[in-house]
Amino acid sequence: MTAADRERWTAAQRRCALLVPVAAAGLVAAAAPVVWWESQDTPGTRTGWLLAAGAALVALLAVARTVVNELSDRDYAAAWVGLVAVPALALATVFAAAQTSHAVDSAWHEPRRVAATTTDCRVTGRSIDDQNIAHDLYGCTYRWFVDDHEFREERPTGKLYPDGRETSVWLDGDRMITERPSGIAVPFWGAIALAAFVCTVMLATVLRWKARVAGLVR
């Protein structure tokens, strides 16, 4: 970093450069609970969190624009890609971590299994395979009882079953799953969460280094 690099930036631009990671962190902090709750189908209002995330996003774009607009065309595009990618990767980490947590909980606690019957089986559509051959798609309504309350849910099936066919379903909370959760989901989502976290840290470090080289921050 030369004296010319340091002198090309105004005091206001330097302050904006310091505010960029603050605004990005605020965006992630506000959006992360929404990502977690939505991934888990958690009921509740998200309005306050979404408004906070929107405000943080506007602040991030405003302070980043002051600095990024002074860069060359190549660095301009790279800077915007990096500024968008860091929060996106951070939120991807949150999403994958939520899925990992859910997979661990499902593997740790045996899902409830109940008897069910299939009714109203029918053709629901058509699909084309790799050989350009059309095949019918099927679906049935699963019917089961929990604590004397009847539940119904339509799911795709491999063929048309007769009404009254006896089967079993697993229950994930109030939702039906047609098979027991696979244990492979834990390492799968765990690896994605770790990879997304590492990429977030590495990209943020690169952006910080680029800002130092440009003379924006010390």
Side-chain angles (χ1 to χ4, degrees):
M1 180 177 62
T2 65
D5 291 328
R6 291 192 296 268
E7 292 173 359
R8 64 180 290 202
W9 305 105
T10 65
Q13 288 172 329
R14 292 178 184 278
R15 285 193 292 270
C16 285
L18 295 176
L19 289 174
V20 166
V22 176
L27 170 59
V28 173
V34 177
V35 172
W36 186 287
W37 293 331
E38 287 295 326
S39 70
Q40 305 300 304
D41 293 330
T42 304
T45 180
R46 326 280 197 235
T47 304
W49 293 97
L50 290 173
L51 289 175
L57 177 60
V58 171
L60 173 61
L61 295 176
V63 294
R65 180 175 178 274
T66 303
V67 176
V68 175
N69 282 355
E70 300 299 320
L71 299 175
S72 63
D73 290 343
R74 184 182 64 179
D75 291 337
Y76 175 89
W80 278 119
V81 170
L83 288 172
V84 170
V86 169
L89 285 169
L91 293 176
T93 302
V94 173
F95 177 81
Q99 297 301 315
T100 303
S101 173
H102 179 72
V104 169
D105 185 66
S106 297
W108 187 263
H109 300 94
E110 178 73 21
R112 184 175 184 179
R113 184 175 180 177
V114 297
T117 57
T118 55
T119 60
D120 303 325
C121 293
R122 58 190 177 85
V123 176
T124 58
R126 301 273 285 177
S127 67
I128 306 296
D129 62 18
D130 295 336
Q131 286 73 41
N132 202 32
I133 300 175
H135 297 276
D136 288 333
L137 301 176
Y138 309 112
C140 293
T141 298
Y142 288 79
R143 176 173 173 265
W144 71 94
F145 290 86
V146 175
D147 299 329
D148 296 327
H149 294 286
E150 181 182 358
F151 295 87
R152 292 174 176 264
E153 187 167 339
E154 183 176 326
R155 286 297 180 91
T157 57
K159 62 180 181 179
L160 293 177
Y161 295 111
D163 284 357
R165 169 181 171 265
E166 295 183 354
T167 183
S168 296
V169 297
W170 285 265
L171 303 181
D172 181 11
D174 293 331
R175 298 180 301 172
M176 186 199 90
I177 51 180
T178 52
E179 61 182 11
R180 184 179 179 184
S182 172
I184 198 174
V186 176
F188 174 79
W189 285 111
I192 292 179
L194 179 60
F197 175 75
V198 170
C199 289
T200 303
V201 173
M202 290 180 62
L203 185 54
T205 302
V206 169
L207 291 177
R208 168 77 178 179
W209 173 75
K210 293 287 287 185
R212 289 189 63 185
V213 170
L216 263 174
V217 296
R218 296 179 180 178

